[in-house]
Amino acid sequence: QVQLVESGGGLVQPGGSLRLSCAASGIILSGYRMGWFRQAPGKEREFVAGIRSSVGSTYYADSVKGRFTISNDNAKNTVYLQMNSLKPEDTGVYYCNAVSGTIPIFRSWGQGTQVTVSS
């Protein structure tokens, strides 16, 4: 059974940084493209960043390009999202999932981790 557990969220001031983690069990992440998504209050869940774990190639939504960095540690079976220069509009619950391009693959989601950017 696939289980993805997100962590690392919190409250941060505009311009601050956070590092999110997505720990997986039941799958070997290096065999998948993995992505981060976020859902702001009252909005649809949206794609944020993706990584082709086997080769380390990455891609991003325009809204986070240059500020966020997705990476993976195959030995820990974990995917990370380093978020810098955070803005209030980055606020939301962040989730990870396997992806095909920007489309999530697994039907079930983890509990997510809350990121709040506010002064």
Side-chain angles (χ1 to χ4, degrees), residues 100-112:
S100 175
T102 62
I103 307 301
I105 290 177
F106 298 134
R107 197 174 305 177
S108 62
W109 295 82
Q111 84 289 347

Side-chain angles (χ1 to χ4, degrees), residues 40-114:
K43 294 189 175 182
E44 297 280 325
R45 187 152 27 200
E46 63 175 357
F47 171 83
V48 173
I51 185 167
R52 189 176 172 187
S53 303
S54 58
V55 297
S57 61
T58 59
Y59 48 105
Y60 301 91
D62 287 344
S63 58
V64 306
K65 206 171 290 184
R67 301 187 298 121
F68 290 12
T69 303
I70 186 172
S71 63
N72 65 288
D73 185 333
N74 290 335
K76 295 183 178 180
N77 210 32
T78 299
V79 175
Y80 303 99
L81 185 68
Q82 177 67 43
M83 306 187 296
N84 299 328
S85 302
L86 282 162
K87 305 175 181 180
E89 51 264 43
D90 295 318
T91 294
V93 181
Y94 283 69
Y95 304 87
C96 62
N97 203 323
V99 293
S100 175
T102 62
I103 307 301
I105 290 177
F106 298 134
R107 197 174 305 177
S108 62
W109 295 82
Q111 84 289 347
T113 186
Q114 175 71 47

Side-chain angles (χ1 to χ4, degrees), residues 1-36:
Q1 183 177 355
V2 175
Q3 188 173 16
L4 300 170
V5 179
E6 302 91 349
S7 62
L11 172 63
V12 63
Q13 291 187 341
S17 299
L18 283 173
R19 188 195 194 205
L20 307 183
S21 299
C22 168
S25 59
I27 60 168
I28 305 299
L29 292 186
S30 59
Y32 293 84
R33 291 191 187 201
M34 292 298 297
W36 282 96

